[in-house]
């Protein structure tokens, strides 16, 4: 009988986050009321938007709007590496990675080098992508929830000597989630979201969940 594999120590980010990524709104259920003339006119006027966005290269936002009008309510899959490449998302992801590095190196030193492999994880956190960060992902998502999990390895003593900080390597995956819809009563840049939310309630469009999980990504850095 073989011995059970030893579990690695777990390092969590200090920021609390949430265990559940869902952020439901207060809109009425899909198709819960009859569409009015104003709803139908508004829907018809906006339908060409996806075509225009696609033509000008805004393919992610075009696909998101098409899925809204498709009314299936099925999950919409995206590759997290796209939004992760935007400045605000990359910035918060790097903060988690750097925090893991600091916590793991502290434990490595306390253990006199015996603890050198760690599982790392966050809860769900939110990040907002602005119009000036990336127009396509702003139109497609604006904000989303993310979770990062992976494994951190400390390579050992630096070539600069035993007193120098060790090198750290993290192999991690990023999950994203978004309840895609519009909140009644809210607006952005002067555009009211209420008529868009009413399309869902009238059964002319349908809210859905955006989901995605990245391939394994690698981050390396000397510890601070």
């Amino acid at each position: 009988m073989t011995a059970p594999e030893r579990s690695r120590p777990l390092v969590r980010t200090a920021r609390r986050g949430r265990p559940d990524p869902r952020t439901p709104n207060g809109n009425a259920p899909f198709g819960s009321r009859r569409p009015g003339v104003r709803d139908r006119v508004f829907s018809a006027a906006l339908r060409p938007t996806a075509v225009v966005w696609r033509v000008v290269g805004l393919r992610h936002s075009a696909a998101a709007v098409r899925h809204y009008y498709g009314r299936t309510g099925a999950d919409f899959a995206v590759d997290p590496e796209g939004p992760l490449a935007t400045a605000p998302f990359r910035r918060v992801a790097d903060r988690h990675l750097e925090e893991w590095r600091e916590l793991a190196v502290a434990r490595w030193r306390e253990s006199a080098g015996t603890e050198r492999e760690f599982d790392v994880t966050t809860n769900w956190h939110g990040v907002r992508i602005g119009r000036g960060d990336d127009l396509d992902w702003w139109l497609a998502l604006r904000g989303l929830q993310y979770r990062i999990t992976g494994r951190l390895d400390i390579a050992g003593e630096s070539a600069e000597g035993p007193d120098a900080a060790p090198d750290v390597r993290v192999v991690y995956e990023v999950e994203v989630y978004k309840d895609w819809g519009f909140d009644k009563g809210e607006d952005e840049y002067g555009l009211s979201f209420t008529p868009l939310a009413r399309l869902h309630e009238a059964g002319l469009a349908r809210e859905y969940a955006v989901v995605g999980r990245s391939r394994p990504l690698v981050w390396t850095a000397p510890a601070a």
Side-chain angles (χ1 to χ4, degrees):
M1 182 175 180
T2 59
E5 182 181 353
R6 183 179 64 86
S7 60
R8 290 183 292 270
L10 179 65
V11 173
R12 292 182 179 273
T13 181
R15 283 164 285 158
R16 181 172 297 176
R18 300 188 301 118
D20 189 340
R22 292 173 294 180
T23 54
N25 58 37
N27 296 343
F30 168 73
S32 57
R33 66 175 184 83
R34 283 189 173 184
V37 173
R38 184 175 297 179
D39 296 318
R40 295 188 184 278
V41 170
F42 186 71
S43 176
L46 285 185
R47 276 186 175 273
T49 300
V51 177
V52 173
W53 284 353
R54 178 76 183 186
V55 169
V56 300
L58 303 174
R59 62 186 184 91
H60 300 295
S61 47
V65 169
R66 280 200 309 271
H67 199 68
Y68 189 54
Y69 275 109
R71 299 184 295 177
T72 67
D75 289 351
F76 182 68
V78 300
D79 182 353
E81 290 187 60
L84 181 61
T86 64
F89 199 172
R90 185 69 262 176
R91 185 164 52 247
V92 296
D94 285 344
R95 283 174 56 200
H96 288 294
L97 293 163
E98 290 162 1
E99 184 177 24
W100 285 336
R101 177 193 64 191
E102 293 170 3
L103 293 171
V105 168
R107 289 176 62 168
W108 174 77
R109 285 181 170 139
E110 290 170 2
S111 70
T114 59
E115 289 190 357
R116 58 191 327 119
E117 299 175 355
F118 302 86
D119 289 323
V120 289
T121 187
T122 69
N123 269 339
W124 289 92
H125 296 262
V127 62
R128 177 180 171 79
I129 299 170
R131 181 172 65 174
D133 299 313
D134 187 295
L135 181 60
D136 192 14
W137 285 115
W138 172 66
L139 290 169
L141 299 175
R142 296 197 318 279
L144 56 86
Q145 304 297 310
Y146 69 90
R147 179 170 64 180
I148 308 175
T149 56
R151 170 176 168 165
L152 182 151
D153 293 293
I154 296 177
E157 290 184 359
S158 169
E160 298 178 4
D163 295 329
D167 291 332
V168 171
R169 182 175 187 265
V170 184
V171 179
Y172 66 100
E173 296 180 4
V174 179
E175 295 173 82
V176 295
Y177 180 92
K178 178 182 176 65
D179 286 308
W180 204 100
F182 298 93
D183 296 299
K184 288 191 297 185
E186 293 192 4
D187 64 85
E188 191 160 347
Y189 295 107
L191 172 65
S192 172
F193 291 161
T194 299
L196 290 160
R198 288 175 62 87
L199 296 182
H200 166 80
E201 298 177 341
L204 298 175
R206 191 167 189 171
E207 296 170 355
Y208 57 89
V210 176
V211 298
R213 188 183 186 98
S214 75
R215 63 188 173 91
L217 306 171
V218 178
W219 182 85
T220 58

